[in-house]
Every structure is written in C-alpha cells, then in structure tokens.
Amino acid sequence: MARTAPSRDRSRLLYKAAYALRRPGRVPRYARRSLRDAMLRARYGRDHVAYYRAVMASDSERSAESAVGGPTSSREAWLRIGKWQYEYLLAHGLKPADRLLEIGCGNLRAGWRLMRYLEPGHYYGIDISPHILLSAKDTVVRYGLQDRLPHLTLTDNLSFDFLPADHFTVIHAHSVFSHTPLEVIEECFEHVGRILAPGGFFDLTFDRTEGREHHVLREDFYYRTETLAALAARHGLSAELMADWEAMPHGQSKLRIRADR
Ligand SMILES: C[S@@+](CC[C@H](N)C(=O)[O-])C[C@H]1O[C@@H](n2cnc3c(N)ncnc32)[C@H](O)[C@@H]1O
C-alpha cells in the first residue's frame, strides 16, 4: 500500500512561518538561498535549465555531495541513497547486459555502482551541469571504473536527439523531476518513448503531494501522481506508482513509465 503523501503546501507563508519557529537555526540559510535564487531568476528568467545549472554551480562550490543531496547531506547519505537506487533496480531485474540511461546523473551517487555492475559501455549518464559532470568524472577515477567505459554527456534539454532509437532497456532519473517545472517533464515524456527499447522501462522519482501542486523557490516542485500520469498518457506512455518504493525511507515517490506499443 502506498504511503499517503503530505498535502501541505510548502510555498505558503503560514507553512514557512511555522517551519521557522520549529527550526530557527535554518532561517539564515533559507534567507541566503532565497536571495541567491531571486538573483539567478532575475538573470535567467523562465529558462529553467540555465537557472538550475547556475544553482548547481553555486551548490557545487560548497561540495558535490550537498549539490546532489541538499545542504545537510553527508558522504554517508551520498553512499546510502545511491545504494537504495542501485539495489532497487537490481531487485527489479536489472542485468549486466541492460543498456541504462541515467537522466540527471549528478556525480554518480548511484551511477558508480551501476557502471561497475553493467557491461562496459552500457552506462550512459546525462546532466545539465558541467560542474557536476566534472565531479562525476572524479567519481569514476575514485572507484577505478575507467575500464567500464561510461558515457557522461552534458545536455541542455531532454529531447534526446543525439541518442539512438529503441536503445535503452532501463532509463533512470532520481531526484531530478523533483527540481523541474512541468514543461521540462513534458519535453522528456514527448521524446523518451523513442529511445526506450521495446519492453524497457523508465523510473523517475518526484515529490508527491495530494494537495495543491506548488514549488518552493523554483528549486523543489510538488506534483500529484494523476498530473504526471495524465501527462505521460498524452505522449503514449503508461505510468505506475511503485508501491514497493513507497516503503523506502526516501521522501520521494517513484513512477514507472512504459511506452505503449
Ligand atoms: C538532486 S541531483 C540528483 C543526482 C543523481 N540523480 C543522484 O541521485 O545523485 C539532480 C541532478 O539533476 C540534474 N538536472 C536537473 N535538471 C535536469 C534536466 N532538466 N536534465 C538533466 N539533468 C538535470 C542536476 O544538474 C543534478 O545533477
């Protein structure tokens, strides 16, 4: 049985005031983040990819772990959350011969385990952030995975136009669409069916709400399952909320997308 997603709206003033009272120590950090995000939004306007790329550049200056895991993230959390992702795919039948695309691969929290398991050349990671891809390259070196011949590619959209049709048996996006507006998800849904191999699946996590859909600082987005499922259906895709992932302590939900053909 899927856990019940919160219906609270984190963008409301009342929620923010109550949060500040509960955790006063976090107020200065939130204020700094709001100021930075306002400056970046003024600079990049509605170009979300350029905006979020700048957020990642700024966060990466502190540490790559906090850029992918949030300001309080640690090395232990980096390892733990990557392991959850990896073990979940394994439990769902991932085989070394699978060809896997990771959208928003970050600095390979899960990617280093995936490329170690998959046949050489079968891991493909894409990301919008050059800063985090440099850190991904360091992860490959740190774990001695050069012979796995991973592909790591910078992208500025999710049209996948440089990738072959019917190719990837598994596509994975963890904690990526929790940071994107709906138009970015729609672009992905419009094109992902072309690159999915017949019978393949695409797992993505998202911040689920059962209340009003909203975002906080255009960094964290909260969607209803039905919204994403309807969007998928518009592009000939089916969507299933993964009940076994709901049991994980990770706060996000997971949707499995398949191409109906
Ligand atoms: C919170 S991190 C998670 C990284 C990785 N999936 C993990 O679990 O460690 C989000 C990543 O998605 C990337 N990203 C955000 N929007 C993206 C987009 N539209 N296309 C590709 N990557 C994106 C960010 O640059 C960042 O590396």
Side-chain angles (χ1 to χ4, degrees), residues 48-49 52-53 56 66-70 78 81-82 85 102-111 126-130 132-133 155-158 172-181 184-185 187 205 250 252:
H48 184 77
V49 168
Y52 201 74
R53 183 177 280 159
M56 288 301 287
S66 67
V68 298
W78 188 89
I81 295 170
Q85 298 177 50
E102 182 168 15
I103 300 171
C105 60
N107 66 341
L108 307 179
R109 202 159 51 161
I126 61 174
D127 204 288
I128 55 168
S129 165
I132 208 72
L133 283 176
T155 189
D156 56 4
N157 62 57
L158 291 179
H172 176 71
H174 181 94
S175 209
V176 180
F177 296 123
S178 41
H179 302 294
T180 63
V184 173
I185 305 180
E187 182 187 39
T205 62
H250 194 273
Q252 296 184 7

Side-chain angles (χ1 to χ4, degrees), residues 43-227:
R43 180 157 179 197
Y44 295 109
R46 304 294 294 179
D47 183 346
H48 184 77
V49 168
Y51 161 74
Y52 201 74
R53 183 177 280 159
V55 168
M56 288 301 287
S58 158
D59 284 351
S60 297
E61 271 171 25
R62 197 169 45 242
S63 82
E65 278 81 19
S66 67
V68 298
T72 54
S73 194
S74 61
R75 183 85 194 143
E76 291 69 38
W78 188 89
L79 286 167
R80 186 174 62 249
I81 295 170
K83 194 161 183 269
W84 286 343
Q85 298 177 50
Y86 169 68
E87 289 180 346
Y88 187 84
L89 283 173
L90 239 54
H92 282 250
L94 185 75
K95 296 282 179 296
D98 274 311
R99 293 183 299 274
L100 185 142
L101 171 69
E102 182 168 15
I103 300 171
C105 60
N107 66 341
L108 307 179
R109 202 159 51 161
W112 74 269
R113 295 177 195 272
L114 291 166
M115 64 181 69
R116 187 179 58 174
Y117 173 76
L118 293 169
E119 288 175 10
H122 282 218
Y123 175 89
Y124 209 117
I126 61 174
D127 204 288
I128 55 168
S129 165
H131 285 80
I132 208 72
L133 283 176
L134 288 177
S135 171
K137 205 158 61 73
D138 292 342
T139 302
V140 171
V141 175
R142 184 183 324 127
Y143 288 102
L145 294 164
Q146 295 88 339
D147 64 343
R148 311 316 287 170
L149 220 63
H151 304 273
L152 297 171
T153 301
L154 183 65
T155 189
D156 56 4
N157 62 57
L158 291 179
S159 69
F160 312 118
D161 53 359
F162 62 101
L163 292 170
D166 302 327
H167 185 72
F168 293 102
T169 52
V170 177
I171 301 181
H172 176 71
H174 181 94
S175 209
V176 180
F177 296 123
S178 41
H179 302 294
T180 63
L182 208 56
E183 60 268 21
V184 173
I185 305 180
E186 170 136 44
E187 182 187 39
C188 174
F189 284 1
E190 188 182 341
H191 299 287
V192 76
R194 185 186 70 82
I195 59 169
L196 255 184
F201 63 84
F202 166 29
D203 281 357
L204 65 94
T205 62
F206 68 108
D207 274 323
R208 187 160 65 91
T209 181
E210 291 185 348
R212 194 174 72 92
E213 296 185 330
H214 60 283
H215 65 81
V216 179
L217 301 176
R218 286 190 79 73
E219 273 195 40
D220 300 312
F221 290 77
Y222 294 82
Y223 296 112
R224 298 172 70 91
T225 308
E226 308 85 73
T227 300

